[in-house]
């Protein structure tokens, strides 16, 4: 049986909200990673980027949660005021299409993206993101596959 190859991605791995789910989460101590199978490897990342349309907003005592929806899947994006000043987020309302960069986190069984950057994008960007996601993963795979000479 072939040994599973795990590739740690040291950068923001593009992921779809449908890929951010409990069975893809790995906790090693306090660190939380997202593990995604792609062809014959597992891509492991803590930093991710994802897309979606803001479906709802929840204001907690020390954070704000934005639920993003994309292709019938949802992901929570949590904004902490020490990372992104909440007072600058007035433009982020229900129906806004966004691109999010952040770290994958889990607390009390809730998986979320701790945002470091949120950018408004046109919804047409979603198709570009999906195409680039595949290109990125193919490139990672090619970079670790020995070439035959």
């Amino acid at each position: 049986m072939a040994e599973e190859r795990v590739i740690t991605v040291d950068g923001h791995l593009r992921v779809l909200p449908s890929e951010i789910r409990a069975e893809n989460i790995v906790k090693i101590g306090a660190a939380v990673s997202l593990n995604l199978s792609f062809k014959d490897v597992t891509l492991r990342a803590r930093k991710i980027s994802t897309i979606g349309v803001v479906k709802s907003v929840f204001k907690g005592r020390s954070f704000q949660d934005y639920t993003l929806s994309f292709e019938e899947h949802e992901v929570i994006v949590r904004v902490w005021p020490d990372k992104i000043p909440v007072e600058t987020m007035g433009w982020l309302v229900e129906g806004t299409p966004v691109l999010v960069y952040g770290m994958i986190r889990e607390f009390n069984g809730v998986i979320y993206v701790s945002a470091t950057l949120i950018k408004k994008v046109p919804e047409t960007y979603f198709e570009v993101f999906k195409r680039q996601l595949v290109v990125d993963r193919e490139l990672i795979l090619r970079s670790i596959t020995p070439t035959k000479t």
Side-chain angles (χ1 to χ4, degrees), residues 61-142:
R61 281 188 295 161
S62 58
F63 60 85
Q64 282 192 188
D65 278 350
Y66 297 88
T67 301
L68 300 188
S69 178
F70 181 71
E71 295 182 338
E72 300 181 19
H73 297 276
E74 295 179 352
V75 64
I76 295 171
V77 173
R78 186 161 287 173
V79 175
W80 298 93
D82 63 328
K83 301 284 185 205
I84 302 174
V86 175
E87 61 273 7
T88 67
M89 303 299 292
W91 59 270
L92 190 55
V93 295
E94 290 180 22
T96 306
V98 294
L99 166 64
V100 176
Y101 289 87
M103 300 280 288
I104 196 76
R105 299 276 193 233
E106 182 271 337
F107 182 73
N108 286 340
V110 176
I111 300 164
Y112 64 93
V113 178
S114 180
T116 53
L117 175 69
I118 302 176
K119 181 179 177 182
K120 183 177 180 178
V121 295
E123 283 194 50
T124 55
Y125 177 75
F126 293 171
E127 288 304 314
V128 173
F129 184 92
K130 286 171 41 177
R131 284 193 306 271
Q132 193 60 47
L133 175 149
V134 174
V135 170
D136 290 354
R137 293 178 189 186
E138 290 286 352
L139 182 62
I140 292 168
L141 193 58
R142 279 198 311 270

Side-chain angles (χ1 to χ4, degrees), residues 23-81:
E23 58 266 24
N24 291 339
I25 298 297
V26 174
K27 289 181 81 170
I28 301 170
V32 178
S33 296
L34 187 67
N35 279 10
L36 300 176
S37 294
F38 181 70
K39 299 197 176 179
D40 63 341
V41 300
T42 297
L43 301 175
R44 175 175 291 162
R46 295 185 64 209
K47 299 176 195 173
I48 65 165
S49 63
T50 193
I51 53 175
V53 174
V54 177
K55 181 178 177 183
S56 65
V57 180
F58 170 78
K59 296 178 191 247
R61 281 188 295 161
S62 58
F63 60 85
Q64 282 192 188
D65 278 350
Y66 297 88
T67 301
L68 300 188
S69 178
F70 181 71
E71 295 182 338
E72 300 181 19
H73 297 276
E74 295 179 352
V75 64
I76 295 171
V77 173
R78 186 161 287 173
V79 175
W80 298 93

